[in-house]
Amino acid sequence: AVTKDNWLPRLKSANVIVVGGGDTVYLLEWIVKSGLDIELPYLLKERVYVGISAGSIVTGKKLSSSSTFLIDDEIKNAPLGLGYVNFYVRPHFNSPKFPKMVDSNLKKVSKELDGELYAIDDDSAVQFVNGKITIVSEGE
């Protein structure tokens, strides 16, 4: 809802860009509609990106790790993501709010993905710096 001439200067003055969660498809739709997808590669040369839930899922090649596509077995129909990373992040591992995000289900569906899947609980994060992946965790 905010124009680019309003949000872009704010992001340029920030050190960290935090992208929250929610509906993954809707989030990506607005990242593209707003033009943020075009600006992010330049902004991230000097800033840190923090994706929370859907904000982490949209960074992948496709939105295959989103609940919409994993739960409904629609992995092959998942739209393209931003393509900033070549792996998938599945937040909320073993969360009571996401009862299907358990080891047995994720192992099954991960075989259909064209990259590694990092399933992390709400006390964990995937850190990606200069091509190196590190799991930061106090959980699973």
Side-chain angles (χ1 to χ4, degrees):
V2 178
T3 62
K4 184 176 180 178
D5 61 341
N6 188 307
W7 58 257
L8 186 56
R10 292 179 185 194
L11 292 182
K12 285 182 175 179
S13 69
N15 293 320
V16 178
I17 298 172
V18 179
V19 180
D23 182 310
T24 309
V25 175
Y26 184 76
L27 175 62
L28 182 62
E29 177 184 333
W30 278 100
I31 288 173
V32 172
K33 276 185 181 179
S34 69
L36 181 57
D37 63 322
I38 304 298
E39 298 296 338
L40 267 176
Y42 304 106
L43 291 167
L44 295 180
K45 289 180 179 178
E46 298 178 359
R47 290 160 193 82
V48 174
Y49 179 99
V50 176
I52 301 169
S53 193
S56 63
I57 294 171
V58 298
T59 64
K61 300 184 262 191
K62 293 181 79 177
L63 303 188
S64 303
S65 62
S66 170
S67 298
T68 303
F69 305 103
L70 277 179
I71 291 174
D72 296 330
D73 295 324
E74 295 289 331
I75 289 174
K76 293 178 179 142
N77 298 326
L80 294 176
L82 295 171
Y84 296 154
V85 297
N86 62 355
F87 55 88
Y88 297 90
V89 177
R90 178 57 244 178
H92 310 302
F93 179 62
N94 287 333
S95 169
K97 294 180 182 177
F98 293 84
K100 293 189 177 185
M101 296 306 145
V102 294
D103 197 45
S104 58
N105 288 344
L106 292 175
K107 280 184 179 176
K108 182 180 92 176
V109 298
S110 69
K111 294 175 185 172
E112 297 183 42
L113 298 173
D114 61 343
E116 292 184 271
L117 173 67
Y118 290 87
I120 56 172
D121 66 9
D122 294 340
D123 294 317
S124 302
V126 177
Q127 180 180 354
F128 184 70
V129 179
N130 297 326
K132 183 179 179 204
I133 299 169
T134 306
I135 303 300
V136 180
S137 181
E138 292 184 357
E140 293 183 63

